């Protein structure tokens, strides 16, 4: 089923976490007062009281700890010819924050794939075993790295059709790196679409104001079934150990590293950091949903389980509106 590991290297191989950020980068996070309106953004400590297994080394996990360097930025800096790989969309600019943010997030995913350590994966994310379309997957599919423009167009299609926001794209990247570190997987040609889709599913339900159900994504990806979406999402949640909490300090770290990635590759990144109110909302929503996920998992861990159960909870909670 979905928990079978496939790998072309020895089982003990796993993604290597990058070294800690330089002191000056940490100082930027702690003292930044950049705003998206009149409010400043203080440095917020990670307040999660969740227990984490010892082997995960919390302090070196970027999706949990604000002082750990993001994996994508480290991988992008090992590439000697970055600019030639970037897809430049020269269409009339609309929603510039969204398009620019997706461009940077998908470039981060591109570097994850290109500079991966191995091809460690799980069957549930394998597109040959669980195709997203009726078209046959080519035999060489798992050996050819996708171009940046292919990843961008896939993500952009989902975000446009589901009317998701630029902030949701950043949360998507947080969940993607959390999956790779918790489950010790690599994102590679055979699994990148389903891993990205799973991260978007969770991010849209936790953060975005527009409620999107799994059946809605089936209208976008017309050949995938609701049952497959639910199964993939359930495995994604289990591999995250139901930790969908995104502290504001972690979001800020990903924002700044994406801005650095944009600068390194001559891309525009107009999105501003969260203001204090939205930062607090992000923490409150993600922690609320995390608690509800755990309750639902204990009550109904079945094949049809999905995060759709949380949409009503999230949008009916007045204190978060």
């Amino acid at each position: 089923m979905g928990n079978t590991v496939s790998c072309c290297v020895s089982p003990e191989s796993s993604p290597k976490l990058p070294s800690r950020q330089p002191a000056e980068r940490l100082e930027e996070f702690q003292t930044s007062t950049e705003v998206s309106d009149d409010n400043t953004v203080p440095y917020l400590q990670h307040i999660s009281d969740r227990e984490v297994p010892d082997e995960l080394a919390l302090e070196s996990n970027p999706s949990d700890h604000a002082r750990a360097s993001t994996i994508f930025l480290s991988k992008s800096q090992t590439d000697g010819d970055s600019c030639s790989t970037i897809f430049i969309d020269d269409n009339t600019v609309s929603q510039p924050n969204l398009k620019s943010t997706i461009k940077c997030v998908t470039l981060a995913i591109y570097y994850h794939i290109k500079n991966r350590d191995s091809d460690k994966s799980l069957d549930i994310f394998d597109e040959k075993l669980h195709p997203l379309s009726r078209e046959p997957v080519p035999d060489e599919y798992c050996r050819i790295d996708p171009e940046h423009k292919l990843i961008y167009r896939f993500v952009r299609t989902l975000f446009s059709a589901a009317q998701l926001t630029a902030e949701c794209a950043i949360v998507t990247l947080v969940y993607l790196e959390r999956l790779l570190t918790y489950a010790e997987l690599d994102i590679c040609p055979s699994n990148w679409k389903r891993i990205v889709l799973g991260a978007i599913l969770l991010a849209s339900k936790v953060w975005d104001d527009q409620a999107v159900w799994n059946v809605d994504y089936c209208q976008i990806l017309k050949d995938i079934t609701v049952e497959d979406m639910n199964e993939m999402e359930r495995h994604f949640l289990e591999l995250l150990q139901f930790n969908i909490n995104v502290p504001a300090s972690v979001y800020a770290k990903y924002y700044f590293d994406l801005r650095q990635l944009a600068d390194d590759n001559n891309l525009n990144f107009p999105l501003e950091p969260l203001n204090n109110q939205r930062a607090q909302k992000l923490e409150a929503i993600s922690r609320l949903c995390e608690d509800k996920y755990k309750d639902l998992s204990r009550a109904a861990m079945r094949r049809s389980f999905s995060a759709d159960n949380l949409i009503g909870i999230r949008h009916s909670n007045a204190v978060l509106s």
Side-chain angles (χ1 to χ4, degrees):
M1 288 298 295
N3 60 347
T4 303
V5 177
S6 59
C7 181
C8 67
V9 296
S10 59
E12 58 268 16
S13 297
S14 62
K16 296 180 176 61
L17 293 175
S19 59
R20 290 174 177 268
Q21 292 176 329
E24 60 268 21
R25 292 283 291 147
L26 295 177
E27 185 69 15
E28 181 182 11
F29 296 143
Q30 294 174 340
T31 61
S32 172
T33 57
E34 202 163 346
V35 296
S36 58
D37 43 48
D38 293 332
N39 297 322
T40 59
V41 185
Y43 179 83
L44 299 178
Q45 294 292 331
H46 187 180
I47 60 175
S48 174
D49 55 4
R50 176 185 51 83
E51 292 184 2
V52 179
D54 293 339
E55 65 269 15
L56 291 182
L58 176 62
E59 291 191 357
S60 61
N61 190 337
S63 66
D64 286 321
H65 201 282
R67 291 179 177 271
S69 176
T70 54
I71 305 173
F72 74 83
L73 189 62
S74 174
K75 288 184 178 293
S76 73
Q77 292 169 346
T78 65
D79 197 272
D81 186 23
S82 58
C83 293
S84 63
T85 66
I86 301 172
F87 169 61
I88 304 299
D89 185 0
D90 57 0
N91 293 332
T92 302
V93 175
S94 62
Q95 296 181 292
N97 285 6
L98 177 61
K99 295 179 75 172
S100 298
T101 304
I102 291 177
K103 196 168 295 181
C104 290
V105 167
T106 53
L107 185 61
I109 296 170
Y110 167 83
Y111 282 125
H112 257 294
I113 299 171
K114 182 178 181 182
N115 297 322
R116 64 190 181 278
D117 296 314
S118 65
D119 288 316
K120 230 179 150 178
S121 186
L122 294 173
D123 286 351
I124 191 63
F125 299 122
D126 192 322
E127 198 174 343
K128 252 191 177 304
L129 299 176
H130 303 275
L132 297 179
S133 69
R134 294 178 183 177
E135 298 179 5
V137 179
D139 291 336
E140 68 276 9
Y141 181 81
C142 63
R143 299 190 296 271
I144 301 175
D145 292 348
E147 297 180 359
H148 177 223
K149 67 179 178 181
L150 181 62
I151 304 171
Y152 171 81
R153 286 170 177 165
F154 178 76
V155 175
R156 177 83 172 126
T157 297
L158 293 174
F159 269 69
S160 297
Q163 299 180 348
L164 305 179
T165 63
E167 292 89 351
C168 185
I170 296 180
V171 177
T172 294
L173 186 58
V174 174
Y175 288 157
L176 185 147
E177 290 208 338
R178 186 172 293 172
L179 175 77
L180 299 184
T181 52
Y182 275 38
E184 296 188 331
L185 301 177
D186 296 282
I187 185 167
C188 54
S190 64
N191 66 14
W192 72 268
K193 283 186 179 179
R194 290 179 63 86
I195 286 179
V196 170
L197 175 59
I200 292 175
L201 286 179
L202 291 185
S204 64
K205 292 171 184 177
V206 170
W207 171 242
D208 217 276
D209 291 330
Q210 180 74 27
V212 185
W213 300 74
N214 284 1
V215 68
D216 297 323
Y217 286 102
C218 292
Q219 298 300 313
I220 304 170
L221 303 169
K222 298 186 182 298
D223 294 329
I224 192 172
T225 65
V226 176
E227 291 76 17
D228 184 22
M229 295 276 279
N230 291 348
E231 180 77 356
M232 179 180 65
E233 186 179 46
R234 181 173 70 84
H235 277 84
F236 204 111
L237 281 165
E238 289 176 337
L239 292 168
L240 291 186
Q241 299 171 35
F242 296 91
N243 172 24
I244 56 170
N245 181 37
V246 182
S249 55
V250 168
Y251 180 98
K253 184 260 303 290
Y254 274 79
Y255 163 83
F256 282 116
D257 279 6
L258 281 169
R259 192 176 70 177
Q260 180 64 54
L261 180 68
D263 290 343
D264 292 344
N265 291 276
N266 298 318
L267 289 177
N268 186 31
F269 192 65
L271 183 67
E272 296 177 346
L274 297 179
N275 60 36
N276 192 38
Q277 181 180 4
R278 287 173 69 79
Q280 292 176 351
K281 176 184 175 183
L282 171 62
E283 287 205 8
I285 289 174
S286 62
R287 288 180 64 85
L288 171 69
C289 290
E290 180 183 1
D291 292 340
K292 296 300 181 182
Y293 270 134
K294 290 176 180 177
D295 292 341
L296 287 170
S297 70
R298 286 191 290 265
M301 184 54 66
R302 57 182 183 271
R303 293 179 64 87
S304 60
F305 169 83
S306 86
D308 287 345
N309 297 285
L310 291 182
I311 292 179
I313 296 170
R314 179 193 181 286
H315 289 273
S316 64
N317 196 289
V319 72
L320 299 179
S321 60

